[in-house]
Amino acid sequence: MNKIFLYLLPLFIISCSDDNTVSEQPVISFENIIFKKSENNLTQDSLILTINFIDGNGDLGLSNEENNYPYHQYNPIIDENFNWVTIGSNDVSPPLYIYEPNGSITLFSDTDIRSPFNCNEYIIDTINSSNQLDTFLIQKNVDNKNIYIEFYKKNNDDFELIDWTRVFDEDYGCGIDFNSRFPPLNIGNANQVLQGKLRYGMVSYGFENVLGNNIFKLKIFIKDRALNSSNIIESPEVTLQEIISN
């Protein structure tokens, strides 16, 4: 079985200052990336990415427990009667709306556009105080994560995005991508410039199967707690063999 897991390595090299000329929008730059191959078939291979960051007010990081608005996992889709839409609903009344935990409602679709089951548009969950599971139509909340990583593999002269959610589950897209969270970096919670290095590890049984000897690159950006996005950076074009570390 092929699996992907993420972990954050315990390396934060951080400095603080009171320089008020630094933007509150985080800025990042690439430091390095290494590939660590497992010594056996029981543990997974690792890709370890290091980036530099600076943020004007230091509001970087989310704990795993922070799942309330605006960091919630998903927004349910409701119909015009405010009923949550499920994959098996027979009495859906369009138009359909996105319902956010803060009470805001925006148009999702004028018609019933439910697709067959897939893990991007549906979630199996309970509603309200009920313990009964159902499959709900949703919109994933992109602000649930704070580090975003895309893999691109070179094909002739072009780079193609690798959809890790479908690498090992082509039909339903229930695999795991590499977007995740890093924890709060400003432990003192002071409003000050935060600068340092963030080391982020990704582990998988599938790196060699998917990337092989091909050239690939990463695109990375982060978000702060105020949902400001950083600049998007790219890694150099590399192969696994070029960045392997013993």
Side-chain angles (χ1 to χ4, degrees), residues 24 33 63 76 102 114 145 163:
E24 294 184 1
I33 185 170
S63 70
N102 67 342
R114 282 175 292 174
K145 314 295 184 185
D163 184 356

Side-chain angles (χ1 to χ4, degrees), residues 73-91:
Q73 184 179 2
Y74 64 86
N75 300 310
I77 305 302
I78 61 175
D79 68 7
E80 68 172 358
N81 297 321
F82 287 81
N83 295 315
W84 286 37
V85 179
T86 70
I87 195 169
S89 299
N90 294 319
D91 54 353

Side-chain angles (χ1 to χ4, degrees), residues 126-181:
T126 59
I127 185 171
N128 299 330
S129 60
S130 170
N131 291 324
Q132 184 175 355
L133 291 171
D134 209 335
T135 305
F136 296 95
L137 182 64
I138 62 162
Q139 180 197 64
K140 288 186 176 180
N141 177 26
V142 296
D143 297 324
N144 178 252
K145 314 295 184 185
N146 63 4
I147 183 166
Y148 305 82
I149 300 177
E150 293 180 338
F151 282 68
Y152 290 83
K153 182 167 64 174
K154 194 166 189 178
N155 182 7
N156 296 320
D157 293 329
D158 299 320
F159 278 90
E160 297 178 348
L161 175 66
I162 300 173
D163 184 356
W164 288 96
T165 67
R166 293 189 179 272
V167 165
F168 306 123
D169 187 9
E170 185 175 352
D171 291 335
Y172 302 112
C174 295
I176 302 173
D177 59 25
F178 291 100
N179 302 330
S180 191
R181 289 184 174 189

Side-chain angles (χ1 to χ4, degrees), residues 21-233:
T21 64
V22 178
S23 171
E24 294 184 1
Q25 179 179 348
V27 176
I28 61 174
S29 61
F30 177 81
E31 178 75 13
N32 63 38
I33 185 170
I34 61 174
F35 175 57
K36 288 192 173 183
K37 185 170 174 53
S38 168
E39 296 179 356
N40 54 61
N41 292 325
L42 300 179
T43 56
Q44 300 175 88
D45 299 331
S46 303
L47 272 175
I48 302 171
L49 169 71
T50 304
I51 61 174
N52 306 298
F53 66 86
I54 185 169
D55 184 80
N57 63 355
D59 63 335
L60 292 175
L62 292 172
S63 70
N64 289 332
E65 291 73 32
E66 293 183 275
N67 289 304
N68 292 327
Y69 180 86
Y71 314 121
H72 55 291
Q73 184 179 2
Y74 64 86
N75 300 310
I77 305 302
I78 61 175
D79 68 7
E80 68 172 358
N81 297 321
F82 287 81
N83 295 315
W84 286 37
V85 179
T86 70
I87 195 169
S89 299
N90 294 319
D91 54 353
V92 173
S93 301
L96 306 183
Y97 298 93
I98 303 164
Y99 179 76
E100 297 192 45
N102 67 342
S104 68
I105 297 175
T106 54
L107 182 66
F108 177 72
S109 173
D110 289 318
T111 60
D112 183 358
I113 58 170
R114 282 175 292 174
S115 303
F117 176 80
N118 64 82
C119 285
N120 185 55
E121 298 176 294
Y122 292 95
I123 192 167
I124 300 173
D125 205 346
T126 59
I127 185 171
N128 299 330
S129 60
S130 170
N131 291 324
Q132 184 175 355
L133 291 171
D134 209 335
T135 305
F136 296 95
L137 182 64
I138 62 162
Q139 180 197 64
K140 288 186 176 180
N141 177 26
V142 296
D143 297 324
N144 178 252
K145 314 295 184 185
N146 63 4
I147 183 166
Y148 305 82
I149 300 177
E150 293 180 338
F151 282 68
Y152 290 83
K153 182 167 64 174
K154 194 166 189 178
N155 182 7
N156 296 320
D157 293 329
D158 299 320
F159 278 90
E160 297 178 348
L161 175 66
I162 300 173
D163 184 356
W164 288 96
T165 67
R166 293 189 179 272
V167 165
F168 306 123
D169 187 9
E170 185 175 352
D171 291 335
Y172 302 112
C174 295
I176 302 173
D177 59 25
F178 291 100
N179 302 330
S180 191
R181 289 184 174 189
F182 57 87
L185 304 183
N186 188 352
I187 305 301
N189 201 31
N191 188 339
Q192 59 187 351
V193 176
L194 200 66
Q195 184 173 9
K197 298 181 186 294
L198 179 65
R199 194 179 184 197
Y200 181 73
M202 300 163 279
V203 295
S204 174
Y205 290 114
F207 287 134
E208 289 190 307
N209 290 337
V210 175
L211 299 173
N213 295 319
N214 295 285
I215 295 173
F216 72 96
K217 64 180 179 180
L218 307 183
K219 289 187 179 181
I220 309 109
F221 73 95
I222 66 173
K223 284 188 177 183
D224 65 16
R225 296 180 61 84
L227 309 183
N228 296 311
S229 295
S230 74
N231 55 310
I232 299 174
I233 61 172

